[in-house]
């Protein structure tokens, strides 16, 4: 078996960039007396010089790694979730148009994206059919793009907002960040505002005095709200919004993981659901 | 109890507190070159304050897992020798970088402590392994990183009960963590860190 190699193997001690790259991407099965080996191999004149090179290379490596990871920052989430919604909306619009168009030519035409997918796989029989099938392919491509953006959010949101993503799910977390205009703005919003983010129309109708106050906005998508019976939904939404805004603050200000938040929320929701409905 | 060389009880106004000498970090309180080492912000400080025999003497080589923003790491680097600081999250690592920039003996690494092979090509065998990671499987992390500890070295571990399982009593979680730890380590002493750190167990151990 080969002996493990240190990050400096074969490098010139003046080449900090190459050293940083090795520190980021390299591996070894076991540690070894690297400082001594670096001196023996001529990478450094003595251990002091080795530690100096190591300091410089680890700083550069970590700086680059931090910048790259934070490049998946909250602004990117905002763009991605909006792009996903745009794609999905347009795919649905095209699917409706297709259902109408195809229905004028075929009494057995279906509806929705599923039907568009079926259409897209057909061989067109005439010039009009070619247009219909082509449009169906575009609708399907938009829907597939939306799915890919969703998969991207599943990976990216937990990097940016781990606690919020753990509790809300990555997509809803990204949507809340997007509605608030960024993670920092979300962290600064009172939980009552987080509760109705995405229900602005209903909120303004209420403020003008001719509608009840909305009980939930985007967080309606959360299982804790949707699957709680309507009479208790307001309570569930309030409890969820409270914990989500704490999660957003932890994510923005400290970056710690706080699994206890999710457990507390689960307990609270259970109690709300167990309330006597009479 | 013996404090490592470079750590003292120092007077800050009317209070006496643990302190190390070095560059000030953010807005902490200082007296000349002495920097107050806050027991509420550092599990290692709480361990020293509680009189645990950490085996630290000063000048040793350290691998620190869970370096976070570098508060404790900066104090360790004040009295220790080469200090490898591993942190997994990018946001706190940004603060760690600032702390490390003015301290030539801190080597910051943005790595996952559960994957030692990703930093074994950088980290040399050390005298002391300090571990304060808020992840499930803390005992496993200590075991997989045992390869970095020299014979006779010390593991200084803070087990956070809530990271393992928030629903179970901490005492149960600690027992389980210690049992797993004993597969690779001899546990020398343990101590709860209340009131400074709730539901944390400090462990001093040596590789078996």
């Amino acid at each position: 078996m080969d002996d493990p190699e240190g990050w400096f193997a074969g490098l010139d001690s003046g080449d900090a960039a190459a050293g940083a790259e090795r520190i980021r991407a390299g591996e070894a099965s076991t540690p070894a007396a690297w400082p001594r080996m670096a001196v023996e191999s001529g990478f450094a004149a003595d251990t002091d010089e080795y530690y100096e090179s190591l300091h410089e290379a680890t700083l550069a490596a970590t700086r680059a790694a931090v910048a790259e990871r934070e490049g998946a920052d909250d602004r990117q989430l905002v763009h991605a979730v909006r792009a996903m919604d745009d794609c999905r909306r347009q795919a649905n619009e095209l699917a409706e148009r297709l259902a109408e168009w195809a229905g004028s030519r075929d009494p057995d035409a279906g509806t929705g994206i599923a039907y568009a997918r079926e259409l897209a796989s057909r061989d067109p029989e005439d010039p009009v059919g070619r247009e219909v099938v082509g449009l169906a392919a575009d609708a399907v491509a938009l829907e597939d793009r939306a799915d890919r953006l969703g998969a991207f959010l599943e990976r990216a949101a937990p990097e940016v907002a781990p606690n919020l993503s753990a509790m809300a799910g990555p997509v809803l977390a990204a949507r809340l960040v997007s509605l608030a205009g960024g993670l920092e703005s979300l962290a600064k919003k009172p939980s009552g505002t987080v509760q109705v983010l995405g229900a602005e129309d209903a909120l303004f109708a209420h403020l003008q005095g001719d509608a009840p106050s909305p009980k939930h906005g985007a967080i309606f998508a959360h299982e804790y709200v949707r699957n709680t019976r309507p009479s208790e939904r307001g309570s569930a939404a309030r409890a969820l919004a409270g914990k989500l805004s704490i999660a957003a603050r932890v994510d923005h200000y400290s970056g710690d993981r706080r699994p206890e938040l999710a457990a507390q929320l689960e307990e609270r929701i259970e109690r709300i659901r167990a309330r006597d409905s009479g | 109890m013996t404090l490592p060389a470079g750590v003292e009880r120092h007077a800050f106004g009317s209070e006496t507190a643990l302190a190390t000498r070095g560059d000030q970090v953010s807005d902490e309180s200082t007296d000349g070159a002495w920097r107050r080492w806050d027991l509420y912000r550092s599990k290692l400080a709480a361990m020293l304050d509680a009189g645990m025999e950490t085996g630290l003497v000063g000048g040793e080589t350290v691998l620190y897992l869970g370096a976070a923003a570098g508060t404790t790491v900066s104090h360790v680097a004040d009295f220790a020798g080469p200090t490898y600081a591993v942190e997994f999250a990018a946001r706190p690592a940004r603060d760690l970088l600032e702390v490390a920039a003015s301290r030539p003996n801190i080597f910051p690494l943005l790595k996952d402590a559960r994957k030692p092979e990703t930093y074994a090509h950088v980290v040399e065998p050390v005298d002391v392994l300090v571990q304060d990671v808020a992840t499930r499987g803390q005992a496993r992390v200590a075991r997989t990183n045992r390869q970095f500890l020299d014979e006779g070295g010390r593991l200084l571990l803070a087990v956070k009960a809530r990271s393992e399982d928030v629903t179970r009593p901490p005492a149960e979680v600690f027992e389980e963590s210690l049992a797993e730890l004993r597969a690779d380590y001899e546990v020398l002493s343990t101590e709860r860190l209340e009131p400074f750190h709730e539901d944390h167990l400090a462990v001093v151990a040596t590789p078996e």
Side-chain angles (χ1 to χ4, degrees), chain A residues 100-129:
Chain A
E100 242 179 88
W101 193 350
S104 73
R105 295 164 36 88
D106 172 6
D108 297 330
T111 54
I113 291 288
Y115 178 62
R117 213 172 275 282
E118 190 192 315
L119 264 184
S121 66
R122 283 192 196 161
D123 282 328
E125 287 158 3
D126 52 29
V128 180

Side-chain angles (χ1 to χ4, degrees), chain A residues 28-32, chain B residues 63 115-117 119-120 123-126 129 142-150 185 207:
Chain A
S29 53
T30 52
Chain B
L63 170 57
K115 296 175 186 155
E117 70 277 8
Y119 47 89
V123 179
E124 63 188 294
V126 297
L129 174 61
R143 290 181 62 194
T144 51
N145 282 279
R146 179 188 175 277
Q147 52 176 316
F148 291 99
L149 259 184
D150 269 330
Y185 289 93

Side-chain angles (χ1 to χ4, degrees), chain A residues 5-7 22-24 26-32 34-35 51 54-55 58 62-63 65 69-70 251-252 260 263, chain B residues 82 84 88 91 93-94 97 100 103-104 106-111 117-118 120-125 147-148 162 166:
Chain A
E5 285 199 329
W7 63 277
R22 283 279 190 82
I23 284 173
R24 288 188 62 186
E27 288 197 353
S29 53
T30 52
W34 306 126
Y51 284 128
L54 177 63
H55 187 243
T58 51
T62 304
R63 235 175 238 135
R69 276 236 235 136
E70 295 206 322
D251 286 337
H252 176 67
E260 66 266 28
Chain B
Y84 298 86
F88 181 53
R91 199 176 283 272
R94 208 197 297 150
L97 278 168
R103 287 176 167 78
I106 299 183
F107 311 114
L109 296 163
L110 190 69
K111 303 279 185 184
E117 70 277 8
T118 61
H121 65 306
V122 181
V123 179
E124 63 188 294
Q147 52 176 316
F148 291 99
R162 289 181 203 165
V166 286

Side-chain angles (χ1 to χ4, degrees), chain A residues 125-164:
Chain A
E125 287 158 3
D126 52 29
V128 180
R130 205 160 27 242
E131 295 310 314
V132 172
V133 169
L135 189 62
D138 290 346
V140 168
L142 278 171
E143 178 67 13
D144 290 347
R145 172 60 61 189
D147 288 345
R148 273 197 295 275
L149 286 164
F152 166 76
L153 286 172
E154 300 271 342
R155 288 193 309 275
E159 286 274 340
V160 178
N163 292 291
L164 187 65

Side-chain angles (χ1 to χ4, degrees), chain A residues 44-235:
Chain A
D46 52 32
T47 52
D48 283 351
E49 195 184 297
Y50 169 75
Y51 284 128
E52 232 172 83
S53 303
L54 177 63
H55 187 243
E56 204 178 316
T58 51
L59 279 179
T62 304
R63 235 175 238 135
V66 165
E68 193 178 294
R69 276 236 235 136
E70 295 206 322
D73 65 5
D74 61 339
R75 300 305 317 162
Q76 304 307 310
L77 282 192
V78 170
H79 289 305
V81 76
R82 288 179 185 169
M84 181 183 79
D85 289 347
D86 289 347
C87 287
R88 190 100 56 203
R89 193 174 51 244
Q90 309 215 0
N92 284 326
E93 240 170 73
L94 287 180
E96 266 178 55
R97 171 69 53 220
L98 277 165
E100 242 179 88
W101 193 350
S104 73
R105 295 164 36 88
D106 172 6
D108 297 330
T111 54
I113 291 288
Y115 178 62
R117 213 172 275 282
E118 190 192 315
L119 264 184
S121 66
R122 283 192 196 161
D123 282 328
E125 287 158 3
D126 52 29
V128 180
R130 205 160 27 242
E131 295 310 314
V132 172
V133 169
L135 189 62
D138 290 346
V140 168
L142 278 171
E143 178 67 13
D144 290 347
R145 172 60 61 189
D147 288 345
R148 273 197 295 275
L149 286 164
F152 166 76
L153 286 172
E154 300 271 342
R155 288 193 309 275
E159 286 274 340
V160 178
N163 292 291
L164 187 65
S165 300
M167 269 200 275
V171 172
L172 177 56
R175 183 156 287 133
L176 290 171
V177 169
S178 161
L179 287 165
L183 182 58
E184 181 170 5
S185 334
L186 183 63
K188 287 179 173 166
K189 291 205 185 307
S191 82
T193 304
V194 174
Q195 190 181 336
V196 296
L197 275 177
E200 283 73 14
D201 289 349
L203 182 64
F204 289 126
H206 165 65
L207 291 176
Q208 285 180 351
D210 44 10
S213 68
K215 289 194 279 299
H216 35 64
I219 62 168
F220 181 73
H222 199 284
E223 186 267 332
Y224 282 169
V225 180
R226 213 180 43 233
N227 294 343
T228 296
R229 67 173 175 281
S231 60
E232 303 299 345
R233 255 180 215 160
S235 305

